[in-house]
């Protein structure tokens, strides 16, 4: 496909920048020979009609010297208000924004529009697809699972266009199996292709003794790190340590609102494990901990960052994770990691104990995890998107 593909995305609400995953996908597609333009849908509350600034080219500053630089276009995307007064006052802004989007389509001439996470930009992309007969691809990144204010279900101006886009799209993709299943069960989406984000190859790095967040004394170490709050699941890990019959050191790194209470509780629990709290850790210390631990545990109650799973695979450390949607979408239980049912410290203790005792199982999980890292490259992700684009 020689004409570019337009990746339509929303800026990060915290800093207004393009999400790193979109930049990385655009770069991988460009390196694979697929031209890409990035259309950033500015926040809906920003005024439309900013003159030439609305369609100035900007280069993706994250692209390396050996990678294709992807042009970026910022476009206004106000949504109609919920009241009659706001609709009247907002109609002009919406009209101006629509003209900017049509101008972008005429100038960039994309072969198709790929909406990476349905937001206000998805509404304008849908309108363009209907008006200009441009193929539309909807790539869901979990916005239907978001129960916060940015979730599709919480924004009346997005829900109806999202359902229409799902029905009209030439192709549908999902970042994970749980996202695909949600699209199917709640919105009737069929034929959704699961394309997980890629991961960058492991970096050859060596650690100093001072980087390891515990003093090595020959005992087996189970390591976990993160924000110590109600969502982290570290209370389950402390409960698992109390149930453990296999001697080990449980080292937990991080800080947060629940730290004081959990530290006090951990002093009173029994079991064969000793529990140590390191306090806040740097990214390098967390990496060194994953590299030198005998088992890494991700006990999250709500969701699991896939990058943490991949990090354990990269460092070659056997992994146990609570069966959150993120973990289930990536880990194959018994093959590249062990999954414990959500909220069950007894199952968590059993999984950790198995890996501390069964070295053959641990080695098998490590070998398969390393193979999975190779199969989850950004090059593979880009190729799967290209296949979808060819069929759209």
């Amino acid at each position: 496909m020689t004409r570019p593909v337009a990746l339509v995305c929303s800026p990060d609400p915290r800093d207004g920048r393009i999400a790193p995953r979109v930049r990385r996908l655009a770069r991988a597609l460009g390196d694979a020979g697929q031209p890409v333009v990035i259309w950033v849908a500015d926040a809906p509350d920003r005024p439309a009609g900013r003159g030439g600034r609305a369609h100035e080219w900007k280069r993706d500053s994250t692209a390396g010297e050996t990678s294709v630089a992807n042009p970026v276009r910022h476009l206004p995307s106000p949504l109609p208000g919920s009241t009659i007064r706001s609709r009247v006052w907002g109609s002009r802004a919406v009209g101006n924004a629509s003209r900017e989007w049509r101008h972008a389509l005429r100038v960039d001439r994309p072969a198709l529009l790929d909406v990476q996470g349905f937001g206000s930009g998805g509404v304008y992309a849908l309108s363009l697809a209907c008006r200009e007969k441009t193929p539309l691809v909807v790539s869901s990144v979990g916005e239907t699972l978001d129960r916060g204010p940015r979730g599709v279900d919480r924004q009346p101006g997005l829900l109806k266009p999202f359902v229409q886009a799902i029905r009209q799209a030439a192709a549908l993709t999902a970042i994970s199996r749980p996202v695909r299943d949600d699209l199917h069960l709640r919105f009737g989406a069929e034929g959704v292709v699961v394309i997980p984000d890629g991961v960058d190859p492991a970096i050859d790095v060596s650690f100093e003794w001072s980087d390891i967040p515990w003093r090595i004394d020959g005992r087996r170490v189970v390591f976990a790190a993160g924000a110590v709050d109600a969502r982290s699941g570290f209370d389950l890990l402390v409960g698992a340590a109390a149930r453990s019959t296999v001697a080990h050191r449980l080292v937990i790194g991080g800080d947060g609102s629940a730290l004081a209470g959990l530290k006090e509780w951990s002093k009173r629990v029994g079991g064969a494990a000793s529990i140590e709290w390191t306090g806040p850790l740097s990214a390098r210390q967390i990496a060194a901990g994953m590299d030198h631990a005998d088992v890494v545990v991700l006990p999250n109650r709500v969701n699991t960052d896939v990058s943490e799973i991949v990090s354990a695979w990269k460092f070659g450390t056997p992994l146990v994770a609570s069966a959150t949607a993120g973990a289930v979408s990536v880990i194959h239980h018994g093959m590249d990691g062990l999954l414990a049912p959500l909220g069950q410290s007894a199952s968590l203790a059993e999984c950790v104990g198995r890996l501390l005792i069964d070295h053959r199982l641990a080695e098998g999980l490590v070998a398969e995890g390393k193979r999975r890292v190779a199969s989850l490259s950004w090059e593979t992700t880009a190729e799967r998107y290209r296949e979808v684009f060819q069929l759209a």
Side-chain angles (χ1 to χ4, degrees):
M1 189 181 295
T2 57
R3 289 169 58 191
V5 167
L7 299 183
V8 181
C9 64
S10 300
D12 190 314
R14 295 167 295 184
D15 55 20
R17 298 182 179 180
I18 302 170
R21 61 167 301 276
V22 175
R23 292 198 303 260
R24 192 62 186 86
L25 173 60
R27 207 161 82 209
L29 286 168
D31 290 343
Q34 172 58 63
V36 171
V37 295
I38 301 176
W39 287 2
V40 183
D42 282 344
D45 55 355
R46 290 190 180 183
R50 295 177 295 159
R53 293 197 303 275
H55 46 77
E56 281 183 348
W57 287 116
K58 296 182 179 180
R59 288 291 176 181
D60 181 1
S61 60
T62 63
E65 294 180 358
T66 60
S67 299
V68 177
N70 297 290
V72 177
R73 183 185 292 276
H74 287 262
L75 294 165
S77 59
L79 293 176
S82 57
T83 66
I84 295 178
R85 180 182 177 86
S86 62
R87 286 179 181 274
V88 171
W89 282 101
S91 60
R92 182 176 180 181
V94 171
N96 289 339
S98 296
R99 284 190 287 274
E100 296 286 1
W101 283 76
R102 291 197 298 272
H103 172 82
L105 188 71
R106 289 194 299 270
V107 173
D108 300 343
R109 299 182 62 250
L112 58 83
L113 308 177
D114 179 15
V115 180
Q116 287 283 327
F118 201 91
S120 59
V123 178
Y124 285 87
L126 172 63
S127 177
L128 278 183
C130 294
R131 181 190 294 266
E132 307 294 337
K133 308 302 181 185
T134 303
L136 178 69
V137 175
V138 176
S139 296
S140 180
V141 298
E143 63 274 24
T144 64
L145 298 176
D146 189 346
R147 297 296 179 255
R150 294 179 60 84
V152 170
D153 292 356
R154 301 300 178 91
Q155 302 184 61
L158 292 183
L159 184 56
K160 185 176 179 180
F162 177 72
V163 173
Q164 183 181 350
I166 289 292
R167 294 171 179 171
Q168 180 169 322
L172 300 170
T173 77
I175 198 170
S176 66
R177 293 196 301 272
V179 173
R180 177 200 61 189
D181 295 343
D182 184 64
L183 292 176
H184 173 68
L185 293 174
R186 292 205 294 142
F187 301 97
E190 301 288 350
V192 181
V193 180
V194 177
I195 307 180
D197 282 347
V199 297
D200 289 309
I203 300 174
D204 186 12
V205 60
S206 58
F207 299 104
E208 303 293 336
W209 288 110
S210 58
D211 295 324
I212 305 171
W214 62 81
R215 186 181 297 276
I216 295 178
D217 61 5
R219 287 182 291 169
R220 313 292 300 282
V221 173
V222 175
F223 179 61
V228 187
D229 54 29
R231 299 158 61 95
S232 65
F234 288 144
D235 59 321
L236 299 173
L237 200 50
V238 172
R243 295 170 177 270
S244 177
T245 58
V246 182
H248 66 274
R249 298 168 68 185
L250 171 59
V251 179
I252 302 177
D255 195 3
S257 58
L259 179 59
L262 285 178
K263 286 181 69 174
E264 186 62 31
W265 179 41
S266 67
K267 294 176 183 178
R268 300 194 301 268
V269 301
S274 63
I275 305 176
E276 304 169 23
W277 302 84
T278 69
L281 296 177
S282 67
R284 184 175 179 84
Q285 288 176 308
I286 293 175
M290 283 191 165
D291 185 44
H292 286 77
D294 295 285
V295 177
V296 168
V297 184
L298 304 175
N300 310 65
R301 284 183 175 275
V302 179
N303 204 3
T304 306
D305 189 341
V306 173
S307 65
E308 294 181 324
I309 297 172
V310 175
S311 292
W313 287 344
K314 287 180 179 180
F315 288 119
T317 307
L319 172 71
V320 175
S322 293
T324 63
V328 170
S329 70
V330 177
I331 295 173
H332 298 145
H333 179 68
M335 297 179 64
D336 46 39
L338 296 183
L339 292 168
L342 273 176
Q344 296 187 17
S345 59
S347 297
L348 208 59
E350 181 183 354
C351 290
V352 170
R354 284 182 62 192
L355 292 183
L356 291 174
I357 294 173
D358 193 338
H359 300 292
R360 190 169 186 176
L361 172 62
E363 290 172 358
L365 299 185
V366 167
E368 180 62 13
K370 289 183 175 180
R371 190 197 68 78
R372 290 291 307 283
V373 171
S375 70
L376 290 172
S377 67
W378 277 106
E379 290 75 18
T380 301
T381 298
E383 186 56 38
R384 297 194 64 186
Y385 269 107
R386 290 184 70 193
E387 293 172 358
V388 170
F389 295 159
Q390 292 292 340
L391 297 175

